[in-house]
Amino acid sequence: MSDRYCVFGHPIGHSRSPQIHAAFAEQTGQALTYEAIEAPLDDFAGAWHRFIASGGRGANVTVPFKEEACRLSDVLSPRARRAGAVNTLVLGNNGETCGDTTDGIGLVRDLQYQAAPLEKARILVLGAGGAVRGILEPLLGARPATLMIANRTAEKARRLAREFFDLGETTGGGFDEVVGTFDLVINGTSASLGGEIPPLPDDLFADDALAYDMMYGDEPTAFLAWSGEHGARTADGLGMLVEQAAESFFLWRNVRPDTAAVRKRLRPER
């Protein structure tokens, strides 16, 4: 009998995680199933407990449940505890829910693949929710010159910046406080799901800057389309999805899949 895994989100119909994990399972000879489940906005914990009651062994968690998944976990990895957000749940042998975050390592691996500027770079991160919390520690570990967090609610960005300031030069504020140019701009808001972009200045990008959207789709997101029109190189979050999925797969199965082969399968033209 195959072990069961899933991804929880709301919405979740766009997710390519089932396709990715099916490819990993085929590649590594692992017997498992993986599905997408749209959890109720007011009952994420119930969705997780129903899933494990039906034989589930682990799950990925996407927007808007990453911070709730952190609170749900009985045991947290050090990186998840620092982030205050969880994107990977593992059912322990003793029945405990173990929470981890693989978003940050997945993002940094994909940024390296995209030849993104990191060390000594000026980085702007848009958003201050669970998706952003999970990427700040590894981003700051790459030793940028500065990292600014900009959010619609300015104080939330400032609090998050203070929380991570010990890891590097980190500031926070509202979108109207974004000034100067940046080498890397990461959209961690959910605006792309609605075809919107945060209000940003037109002169945002330095020469050869990369605009990166943690969301992904068959067509460029609104943020990436705008960024391309303003002179930036662009990349969406599909590569990050593959890389963080590989790390989750390793946590569940103790086998590390080949991400290059799956990247090529998802986008053979690239």
Side-chain angles (χ1 to χ4, degrees):
M1 181 177 176
S2 297
D3 290 334
R4 293 185 66 202
Y5 299 90
C6 76
V7 56
F8 290 111
H10 192 110
I12 199 60
H14 67 287
S15 177
R16 301 187 74 175
S17 291
Q19 183 182 358
I20 292 168
H21 283 279
F24 287 163
E26 177 186 350
Q27 178 193 114
T28 59
Q30 295 288 302
L32 59 87
T33 63
Y34 188 105
E35 62 193 291
I37 297 177
E38 186 167 293
L41 289 174
D42 60 352
D43 192 26
F44 170 73
W48 166 244
H49 289 302
R50 287 189 293 273
F51 181 67
I52 61 177
S54 66
R57 299 295 306 169
N60 286 127
V61 182
T62 188
V63 292
F65 298 120
K66 294 183 181 186
E67 290 172 274
E68 192 169 350
C70 185
R71 294 189 293 269
L72 172 76
S73 299
D74 301 309
V75 179
L76 290 171
S77 70
R79 59 189 177 187
R81 186 178 301 109
R82 180 71 203 238
V86 159
N87 84 322
T88 305
L89 295 172
V90 183
L91 184 64
N93 293 331
N94 58 0
E96 288 185 320
T97 296
C98 304
D100 202 345
T101 179
T102 66
D103 279 337
I105 193 168
L107 173 65
V108 170
R109 285 175 180 168
D110 191 42
L111 289 172
Q112 292 168 340
Y113 179 86
Q114 304 289 347
L118 289 173
E119 187 175 2
K120 298 181 180 179
R122 285 175 49 83
I123 298 176
L124 174 65
V125 179
L126 308 175
V132 167
R133 295 188 67 91
I135 66 172
L136 291 178
E137 183 177 16
L139 270 181
L140 289 165
R143 299 179 182 275
T146 62
L147 186 150
M148 179 180 181
I149 304 164
N151 191 56
R152 193 173 304 277
T153 305
E155 184 52 35
K156 188 174 182 181
R158 294 189 186 102
R159 287 197 304 268
L160 195 55
R162 289 193 294 268
E163 189 175 334
F164 284 85
F165 188 81
D166 62 303
L167 300 180
E169 182 70 31
T170 312
T171 60
F175 293 129
D176 59 347
E177 297 174 63
V178 175
V179 294
T181 59
F182 295 85
D183 305 298
L184 173 62
V185 180
I186 299 171
N187 181 27
T189 74
S190 58
S192 291
L193 292 175
E196 302 173 352
I197 61 169
L200 298 167
D202 290 339
D203 56 350
L204 185 65
F205 299 106
D207 292 341
D208 199 37
L210 178 70
Y212 189 98
D213 200 326
M214 291 170 65
M215 299 295 177
Y216 60 92
D218 293 333
E219 300 296 329
T221 66
F223 169 73
L224 293 184
W226 179 87
S227 299
E229 292 169 359
H230 289 79
R233 297 186 293 123
T234 62
D236 71 9
L238 186 60
M240 173 186 173
L241 181 70
V242 174
E243 296 295 342
Q244 66 82 18
E247 190 72 9
S248 295
F249 193 91
F250 177 74
L251 292 173
W252 294 328
R253 312 299 294 183
N254 200 32
V255 176
R256 194 175 297 281
D258 174 16
T259 57
V262 177
R263 280 175 178 270
K264 189 172 182 180
R265 180 182 295 193
L266 292 174
R267 283 191 174 148
E269 76 280 4
R270 296 189 181 182

